[in-house]
Amino acid sequence: MNLDNQMEIYKKRTDIMPDEDRIRQTIEASMASFLRSESEKILPYHSFLCIQFRLIRKRWWALQTGVLALVWAALLPAQDNPYLYRSLGLAATLFVILIIPELWKNRANCCMEIEGSTYYALRQIYSARMLLFGITDILLITLFCCMAAVSLRISLTELLIQFIFPMTVTACICFGIFGSRNQVNESTALGLSILWSALWWCILMDEELYSAITVPVWMILLGMAILFLIIIVCRSIRQCDDIWEVNADGIENV
């Protein structure tokens, strides 16, 4: 018997007929084991924050830093001009406007439904991004206020009235529009922020009106604005799961 015949006989003896039922059971068991092992690997929240930090475009923070640096440089040679101090409100409005593109990025790219299908809910995604923006902006504003108080000798009360108050009102406008269920784009938020900036400028340029408002009144208005901002931000986070893309025919994808 030659080698070829021996190989044919060996193939017939070792020919194994596949059992489809057992193959299917093996596949199902493998998939269940894989899913079980993956479900035990929950992404820690600090890693989730790091991922969200990498997704945020840093150029907006760089521009915010540039705005504060330009304001500080402009105020440095003209420390005796009170009207120049009052122009801080315009810079504060611009400081908040620079976060609008990043805030509306999800809606503009129509990716809210994709984010809503992830392990972390859309509410947690927005909470993480707002937390990161809040921490960064607070650090920038604190640094700016410290530098202004030391180098420009601007009182804390003046900074609260001229910079923090208009910035807080602008943030209320942006987050109020962002938390709306209506399909409002970032152009509306930008337009209303500019309108508020113009109104604030008119108030500052009216010396009689500006002098009539005392410091306690300014502090009350600032406190009300901060409280309203907290409520608006909490509402935006709480209702973000209800905000979805709307088709051209007006049917909501919820």
Side-chain angles (χ1 to χ4, degrees):
M1 184 179 293
N2 56 25
L3 181 60
D4 293 337
N5 293 334
Q6 291 180 353
M7 292 297 295
E8 289 294 332
I9 295 173
Y10 177 76
K11 288 181 180 179
K12 291 179 181 180
R13 290 178 179 175
T14 57
D15 190 13
I16 301 175
M17 296 300 295
D19 189 340
E20 295 183 0
D21 292 336
R22 291 185 176 275
I23 293 176
R24 185 163 49 252
Q25 292 175 3
T26 302
I27 294 175
E28 292 175 354
S30 300
M31 292 177 60
S33 177
F34 173 77
L35 293 176
R36 185 170 55 254
S37 62
E38 288 297 318
S39 64
E40 297 173 355
K41 300 177 181 178
I42 299 177
L43 183 67
Y45 200 72
H46 64 85
S47 300
F48 173 68
L49 280 176
C50 292
I51 293 174
Q52 294 300 320
F53 178 79
R54 290 197 295 267
L55 290 176
I56 295 176
R57 288 172 289 190
K58 310 305 182 297
R59 60 185 179 186
W60 304 117
W61 285 332
L63 289 174
Q64 286 181 322
T65 304
V67 168
L68 296 180
L70 288 176
V71 171
W72 180 80
L75 292 177
L76 191 61
Q79 299 183 21
D80 298 328
N81 190 344
Y83 290 99
L84 193 59
Y85 285 154
R86 298 179 188 180
S87 64
L88 283 172
L90 302 178
T93 302
L94 180 59
F95 184 85
V96 178
I97 286 176
L98 288 174
I99 74 172
I100 290 179
E102 192 67 25
L103 198 64
W104 258 266
K105 181 172 63 175
N106 306 60
R107 289 192 184 185
N109 296 328
C110 299
C111 61
M112 294 182 67
E113 287 185 342
I114 298 175
E115 292 181 338
S117 63
T118 59
Y119 174 79
Y120 282 100
L122 198 61
R123 179 182 304 177
Q124 293 169 305
I125 293 175
Y126 276 108
S127 299
R129 292 179 182 175
M130 290 181 185
L131 175 64
L132 292 171
F133 262 106
I135 292 174
T136 304
D137 287 351
I138 287 175
L139 289 176
L140 291 176
I141 294 171
T142 302
L143 181 61
F144 170 75
C145 290
C146 291
M147 293 179 61
V150 173
S151 61
L152 304 177
R153 294 181 176 84
I154 303 177
S155 65
L156 179 59
T157 303
E158 196 75 13
L159 286 171
L160 291 176
I161 296 174
Q162 306 296 349
F163 188 83
I164 304 299
F165 177 70
M167 183 191 70
T168 305
V169 175
T170 306
C172 289
I173 294 173
C174 294
F175 282 105
I177 296 176
F178 177 74
S180 174
R181 289 204 60 181
N182 299 324
Q183 284 297 101
V184 183
N185 56 26
E186 59 268 31
S187 301
T188 304
L190 178 61
L192 289 178
S193 298
I194 294 176
L195 183 62
W196 153 248
S197 178
L199 177 62
W200 177 251
W201 178 257
C202 293
I203 294 174
L204 294 181
M205 292 301 103
D206 190 339
E207 187 65 34
E208 183 178 353
L209 177 61
Y210 180 80
S211 302
I213 304 176
T214 60
V215 173
V217 175
W218 283 119
M219 294 299 103
I220 292 173
L221 292 176
L222 176 61
M224 292 173 60
I226 293 175
L227 179 62
F228 185 71
L229 177 61
I230 294 173
I231 295 173
I232 288 295
V233 170
C234 292
R235 191 194 69 173
S236 300
I237 295 174
R238 186 175 62 252
Q239 296 181 353
C240 65
D241 289 330
D242 300 329
I243 304 172
W244 299 97
E245 295 92 341
V246 177
N247 295 329
D249 55 4
I251 300 176
E252 294 186 4
N253 298 320
V254 294

